[in-house]
């Protein structure tokens, strides 16, 4: 099998890249180790930055998003029983975010790829990337019980942290930067309308809590819990009681309860792999970087990576110059590190750490007070949350 761009992974990054390349007249093949049902059902991120929304619309993948997604013009910060709303459009020249689940993005892009794009092979497990430092890289993969080879001009690894793409970069050429956090998020899906029309980020002495949503009738909520917590060790009423405590305010706001349909625990870590390119192999999304979910950056960073690659390859196709491809890693990493910084700031501002001192506690409160009282600090948060430019 032969193609211009071999894409490993049919998450939102790989699928969007295939769509962008198709629109630019560049052929690709997507290899996905899981079956279609799994890809269309796995629960992941749900906040799309303004830039991601714009890219999906321009790619022809925004119709259902615009019909069913929930535009949000702000978030609420909650601490010391106080509430402070951050107005995104007023602080960012009209930018906002969209609540639209990653599962839905994948469904939309899969439908487009199967209808109009190149081959999308499910249950095609990538085994290795070979010859990345040559002008004819290849991907060995297993599909329908036999091994095969995909010969490419370029390979893009959108196969996540545990995929094979990153392992093709020689260890002596790489640098890894990471931080793990001593807590995680206990997340639930509940069949109850959201208790607030925008996301609520709550800092409480007992731990962080987040009120989010998947739709007008389904709530998504999170609790800070110790690292290694088993989701099933928490009873449903215990979860609701703890959420109620952490969202407490001095007004008459109330948290509505409903049947919990899903529980899981998300570990928290920051991770960056440099470089994001080796020869004709390019890393995108979680294959190269991970952020804690506090800043809602993971999916959006992956979109920025594939937009950067698609623009660079289109530029080479149109001009014959590989200048933008050569700059891929540097270009992406500028945005990645800003997102890492933003996510770290949000995480450390809102999560009381085990063993935190009274000094640490007062610093968190001071940071929140600064945002609530300073337009400059509030603008910095709003600009980071609505997204950094796709250079």
């Amino acid at each position: 099998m032969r193609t211009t761009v071999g894409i490993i992974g049919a998450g939102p990054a790989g699928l969007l890249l295939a769509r962008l390349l198709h629109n630019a007249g560049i052929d690709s093949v997507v290899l996905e180790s899981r079956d279609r049902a799994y890809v269309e059902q796995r629960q992941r991120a749900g906040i799309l930055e303004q830039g991601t929304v714009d890219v999906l619309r321009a790619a022809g993948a925004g119709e259902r998003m615009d019909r069913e997604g929930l535009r949000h013009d702000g978030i609420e910060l909650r601490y010391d029983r106080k509430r402070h709303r951050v107005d995104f459009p007023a602080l960012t020249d009209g930018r906002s975010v969209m609540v639209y689940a990653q599962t839905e993005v994948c469904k939309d892009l899969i439908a487009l790829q199967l209808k109009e794009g190149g081959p999308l092979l499910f249950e095609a497990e990538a085994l290795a990337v070979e010859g990345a430092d040559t002008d004819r890289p290849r991907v060995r993969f297993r599909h329908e019980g036999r091994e095969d080879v995909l010969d490419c001009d370029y390979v893009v690894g959108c196969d996540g942290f545990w995929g094979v793409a990153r392992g093709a970069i020689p260890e002596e050429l790489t640098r890894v930067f990471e931080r793990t956090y001593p807590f995680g998020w206990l997340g639930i899906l509940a069949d109850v309308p959201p208790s607030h029309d925008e996301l609520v980020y709550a800092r409480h002495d007992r731990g962080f809590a987040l009120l989010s949503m998947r739709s007008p009738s389904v709530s998504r909520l999170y609790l800070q819990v110790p690292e290694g917590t088993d989701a099933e060790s928490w009873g449903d009423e215990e979860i609701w009681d703890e959420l109620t405590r952490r969202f407490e305010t001095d007004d008459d706001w109330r948290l509505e309860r409903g049947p919990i349909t899903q529980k899981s625990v998300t570990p928290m870590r920051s991770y960056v792999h440099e470089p994001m390119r080796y020869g004709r192999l390019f890393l995108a999304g979680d294959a190269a970087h991970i952020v804690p979910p506090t800043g809602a950056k993971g999916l959006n960073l992956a979109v920025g990576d594939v937009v950067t690659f698609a623009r660079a390859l289109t530029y080479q196709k149109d001009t014959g110059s590989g200048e933008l491809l050569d700059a891929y890693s540097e270009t992406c990493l500028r945005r990645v590190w800003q997102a890492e910084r933003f996510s770290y700031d949000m995480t450390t501002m809102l999560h009381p750490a085990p063993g935190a001192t009274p000094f640490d506690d007062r610093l968190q409160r001071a940071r929140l007070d600064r945002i609530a009282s300073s337009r400059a600090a509030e603008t910095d948060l709003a600009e980071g949350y609505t997204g950094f430019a796709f250079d």
Side-chain angles (χ1 to χ4, degrees), residues 101-379:
Q102 174 175 314
T103 50
E104 306 308 313
V105 174
C106 286
K107 288 175 187 175
D108 297 341
L109 290 169
I110 286 170
L112 284 170
Q113 184 71 7
L114 294 177
K115 180 181 179 182
E116 303 173 6
L120 166 54
L121 305 182
F122 291 104
E123 298 181 87
E125 180 188 6
L127 303 174
V129 177
E130 300 173 341
D133 58 344
T134 73
D135 59 0
R136 287 291 184 270
R138 46 191 253 161
V139 182
R140 283 197 300 107
F141 66 99
R142 183 183 294 111
H143 185 236
E144 296 181 341
R146 69 176 187 276
E147 284 197 21
D148 205 341
V149 173
L150 177 62
D151 292 300
C152 320
D153 293 331
Y154 304 92
V155 176
V156 182
C158 305
D159 52 345
F161 183 79
W162 301 107
V164 302
R166 189 176 65 251
I169 301 179
E171 189 172 336
E172 63 270 19
L173 300 180
T174 69
R175 297 185 69 192
V176 169
F177 306 85
E178 60 185 324
R179 176 185 291 272
T180 57
Y181 300 86
F183 44 76
W185 279 9
L186 170 63
I188 64 167
L189 279 175
D191 286 338
V192 60
S195 299
H196 194 59
D197 56 1
E198 293 178 335
L199 273 68
V200 177
Y201 287 79
R203 188 265 176 210
H204 192 278
D205 289 343
R206 296 176 63 92
F208 168 78
L210 172 62
L211 186 157
S212 184
M213 64 281 296
R214 279 292 178 261
S215 74
S217 61
V218 177
S219 293
R220 183 74 160 151
L221 300 108
Y222 298 92
L223 283 171
Q224 177 185 346
V225 294
E227 182 183 20
T229 293
D230 177 4
E232 296 306 319
S233 68
W234 282 71
D236 290 7
E237 288 306 308
E238 185 183 9
I239 291 172
W240 285 118
D241 289 345
E242 190 62 27
L243 286 166
T244 298
R245 290 187 196 98
R246 297 188 193 184
F247 285 123
E248 284 177 334
T249 62
D250 283 332
D251 58 18
D252 60 357
W253 183 91
R254 293 292 179 270
L255 178 67
E256 298 297 328
R257 304 186 180 204
I260 294 176
T261 60
Q262 184 184 108
K263 299 178 194 175
S264 62
V265 172
T266 301
M268 308 281 280
R269 68 185 305 213
S270 302
Y271 174 91
V272 180
H273 179 283
E274 297 184 4
M276 291 176 57
R277 177 199 178 182
Y278 171 63
R280 294 200 172 200
L281 167 64
F282 298 76
L283 303 181
D286 286 359
H289 42 73
I290 295 172
V291 290
T294 324
K297 290 283 160 259
L299 167 61
N300 298 288
L301 274 181
V303 169
D305 294 342
V306 298
V307 167
T308 300
F309 177 81
R311 286 176 178 172
L313 190 57
T314 302
Y315 182 77
Q316 184 189 62
K317 174 175 173 279
D318 293 342
T319 69
S321 170
E323 177 185 1
L324 297 186
L325 283 173
D326 291 340
Y328 171 81
S329 185
E330 180 183 356
T331 301
C332 290
L333 285 169
R334 281 197 300 269
R335 184 181 61 256
V336 166
W337 277 110
Q338 285 302 316
E340 292 283 355
R341 186 271 309 170
F342 176 80
S343 298
Y344 174 83
D345 286 349
M346 288 281 285
T347 300
T348 56
M349 178 175 68
L350 293 166
H351 294 74
T357 66
F359 181 84
D360 299 324
D361 173 75
R362 288 302 181 94
L363 278 183
Q364 287 186 323
R365 296 166 191 261
R367 291 164 71 183
L368 287 159
D369 280 337
R370 176 66 176 167
I371 292 168
S373 61
S374 165
R375 186 176 179 87
E378 194 178 28
T379 298

